Amino acid sequence: MNILVLGAGQLARMMSLSSTHLDLHVLAYDVASKQVMNPVTFDVTSYTLAQAIERSDAITAEFEHIPHDVLTLCAQSGKFYPGEQAIKTGGDRALEKALLDKAKVACAPYQLITEKSHFLTAIDSLDLPLVVKTCQAGYDGKGQWRVKSKDDVESIWSEMAQFLASGTDTLPHTIIAEKMIPFDREVSIIGVRDKHGECKIYPLTENQHTNGVLTLSIAGKEKPTIEQQAKDAFNALAQELDYVGVLAIEFFDVQGQLLVNEIAPRVHNSGHWTQQGCHVSQFENHMRAVAGLPLGSTELLRPTAMINVLGQAAIPTQVLAVSDTTSHWYGKSAKPGRKMGHINVSGSDLLQLSERLEQLAKVLPEQDYPGVSQTAHNLKGI
Ligand code: ATP
Ligand code: MG
C-alpha cells in the first residue's frame, strides 16, 4: 500500500520507519520545495504532487501549517486523513478554541484579537499577565508574546499589528490572548482513532519545556483520575472531528484539573517515547489508522522517558551504553535549537528509570539537555 505524507521532516521519516514491516510504502511531499521524496533517504522522485496523490492509497500529514490549495487537492481525492477540517483546526488557534468550546472541553480563558481595542479589552477582562499568540503559523513557542505589565502594551501591540497586517483576504491573520495559567506542570495525551470510530489511548505523558520548546517527556507515573480527564477530552474532540489517525492534546495541570493548551492533529513530539514504551508506537498506529488496518496496543510496557536533542551535531554515542536506551537521529543539518533527534530510555519501574536517567545525565551536559538530572532525582521521591 502506498501512503503519501504532507511534510518531509522527522515525523514523516518515523512514520515511514515504523511501517515498512507492514508493507506500507511512504513518500513525503516537502511543502517548501514542492518535491516528492523518500523521507528516510531524502531521495527525490520525479512525481508531481498530483501524481503522488493519484498513486497513493491514503494521504496524511506530519504538520498542520499546510497551504490550503494543497489541502484541498488532497481532500478532493477522498483519501486524506485525518481530514481537511482537522488539519485546518490544528493550524489555527481561533478554530481550535471554537472546537474546544463546541466539544465542551475546558481551556484557558481567551479573547480573539483583530484590532487594538480587542487587545485592551483582553487586558481588562482577562487580567495581566497574558500570553498572546498568533492564531496562524506558530510552533515551538514562536509567534508569542508575554504581556506582564501595562508598560509592555505599546511595544507588543506594534509587533502584533505587523502580524495582523501581513494577513491576506483569503487567509486573514488573527491573534489570541490567553490568561497566563499558573500551572503546576504540563501533560499531554496521545490517542488514535480508526475509520470505524474505535479509539485507543496511550498513557498520559508529563512534559517539560525549556524556553517554550519540549525538552523532556516521561510516561508511566500518572494517577488514574488525571488520566481519565485527558482521555475524556480525547474522546470528545476525536468524535467531534470524526478523526482518523493519531491526535495529540497538550494540557496544563492546575491542581489536578486539566485545561487544554492546544491540540495537534498528528503524531507529536511528546509521544516519541511510545517507540520503546509500547508494543505499537504512535507512528505505527497512525499509519495503521490511515491505511485502514486494525489498531495496535497502546498499553504501557514499562515507564519510559524521552529526551529531545536540540541543535546538536550528533548524539553522544555513550548514551547507548546505558541499558534500555535508544537514540533516534533525524538526519538533518544542525542549526541552533533545531530538533535533531531524541533519546528514549526505559526502566522496569520508576526507580530503575531514575537510575538510568542519572547515568544519562553524566554524558548529557545540563546546558544542552536540561532537566535530566532533576527528573532522575524527582522520580526517586515517587
Ligand atoms: P509547540 O509547537 O512546542 O507545541 P506552540 O508554539 O504551539 O508550541 P504553545 O504550546 O501554545 O505553543 O505554547 C508553548 C508553551 O508556552 C507551552 O507549552 C507553555 O509552557 C507556555 N504557555 C502557552 N500558553 C500558556 C498560557 N496560557 N499560560 C501559561 N503558559 C503558557
Ligand atoms: Mg504546544
Side-chain angles (χ1 to χ4, degrees):
M1 212 183 242
N2 291 319
I3 314 280
L4 177 67
V5 181
L6 302 179
Q10 66 268 17
L11 302 180
R13 176 186 175 92
M14 290 186 275
M15 284 185 221
S16 175
L17 290 170
S18 74
S19 59
T20 309
H21 65 283
L22 296 174
D23 200 24
L24 300 181
H25 301 269
V26 176
L27 286 179
Y29 176 68
D30 179 38
V31 170
S33 70
K34 302 191 174 173
Q35 288 172 322
V36 176
M37 61 179 72
N38 178 316
V40 179
T41 62
F42 306 121
D43 288 335
V44 175
T45 71
S46 59
Y47 296 124
T48 61
L49 175 60
Q51 288 168 332
I53 291 173
E54 175 64 30
R55 69 183 287 284
S56 298
D57 299 288
I59 306 167
T60 188
E62 68 152 14
F63 75 132
E64 48 276 23
H65 300 300
I66 295 168
H68 285 182
D69 55 335
V70 174
L71 273 186
T72 307
L73 214 56
C74 293
Q76 279 166 354
S77 74
K79 300 183 278 196
F80 185 50
Y81 302 101
E84 195 175 7
Q85 189 208 348
I87 296 290
K88 281 187 176 165
T89 304
D92 186 327
R93 295 184 194 275
L95 295 177
E96 196 172 288
K97 296 288 190 195
L99 168 75
L100 294 168
D101 290 346
K102 192 162 177 223
K104 298 195 169 53
V105 175
C107 63
Y110 69 91
Q111 157 133 11
L112 283 178
I113 298 174
T114 52
E115 57 183 64
K116 191 171 181 184
S117 67
H118 302 157
F119 185 32
L120 300 177
T121 312
I123 292 168
D124 283 340
S125 61
L126 299 175
D127 264 347
L128 295 177
L130 294 181
V131 182
V132 179
K133 307 175 180 179
T134 59
C135 286
Q136 302 81 22
Y139 68 99
D140 286 349
K142 295 183 177 69
Q144 296 197 7
W145 299 268
R146 302 284 190 271
V147 189
K148 292 185 181 136
S149 94
K150 288 203 170 165
D151 298 339
D152 302 334
V153 168
E154 287 309 320
S155 65
I156 292 179
W157 171 252
S158 71
E159 291 180 29
M160 290 164 66
Q162 266 181 34
F163 175 77
L164 290 174
S166 62
T168 60
D169 286 348
T170 43
L171 199 65
H173 278 175
T174 48
I175 287 178
I176 204 159
E178 287 175 7
K179 197 172 175 59
M180 172 99 70
I181 302 297
F183 56 78
D184 301 314
R185 60 184 191 139
E186 294 184 76
V187 296
S188 60
I189 200 98
I190 315 271
V192 60
R193 186 172 184 269
D194 72 12
K195 292 180 184 177
H196 312 289
E198 196 209 332
C199 293
K200 284 184 187 275
I201 306 179
Y202 290 99
L204 196 72
T205 306
E206 182 178 293
N207 301 316
Q208 297 172 24
H209 293 80
T210 308
N211 302 324
V213 182
L214 183 69
T215 40
L216 195 148
S217 292
I218 180 159
K221 63 189 269 296
E222 297 303 323
K223 298 197 175 69
T225 44
I226 296 218
E227 200 157 69
Q228 195 53 49
Q229 289 179 52
K231 289 182 172 176
D232 291 345
F234 177 91
N235 286 323
L237 296 174
Q239 191 172 334
E240 188 64 48
L241 289 167
D242 194 17
Y243 199 88
V244 175
V246 163
L247 170 71
I249 310 173
E250 296 179 55
F251 300 89
F252 302 125
D253 178 351
V254 189
Q255 297 181 347
Q257 294 301 312
L258 297 187
L259 288 181
V260 171
N261 170 26
E262 61 172 353
I263 67 164
R266 54 174 166 82
V267 290
H268 194 256
N269 197 168
S270 69
H272 291 1
W273 65 267
T274 59
Q275 290 169 311
Q276 270 67 47
C278 298
H279 265 302
V280 177
S281 73
Q282 62 162 352
F283 301 103
E284 180 174 335
N285 256 330
H286 183 71
M287 299 312 270
R288 288 191 189 204
V290 303
L293 299 171
L295 302 179
S297 167
T298 51
E299 301 238 327
L300 184 87
L301 290 178
R302 49 204 181 152
T304 299
M306 185 234 42
I307 302 161
N308 256 349
V309 179
L310 301 171
Q312 304 297 309
I315 300 176
T317 48
Q318 306 96 292
V319 301
L320 297 176
V322 178
S323 299
D324 288 333
T325 298
T326 307
S327 66
H328 296 261
W329 184 247
Y330 306 153
K332 306 194 292 192
S333 52
K335 279 189 206 155
R338 192 174 198 196
K339 288 178 180 167
M340 301 300 298
H342 67 272
I343 299 160
N344 283 341
V345 53
S346 306
S348 57
D349 54 25
L350 290 173
L351 183 61
Q352 193 177 61
L353 177 58
S354 139
E355 287 162 3
R356 289 176 178 169
L357 282 166
E358 229 161 41
Q359 288 173 268
L360 285 172
K362 294 195 181 116
V363 288
L364 299 173
E366 175 68 25
Q367 77 266 22
D368 300 327
Y369 301 91
V372 179
S373 167
Q374 185 62 48
T375 304
H377 176 79
N378 294 348
L379 283 181
K380 286 229 164 76
I382 291 180

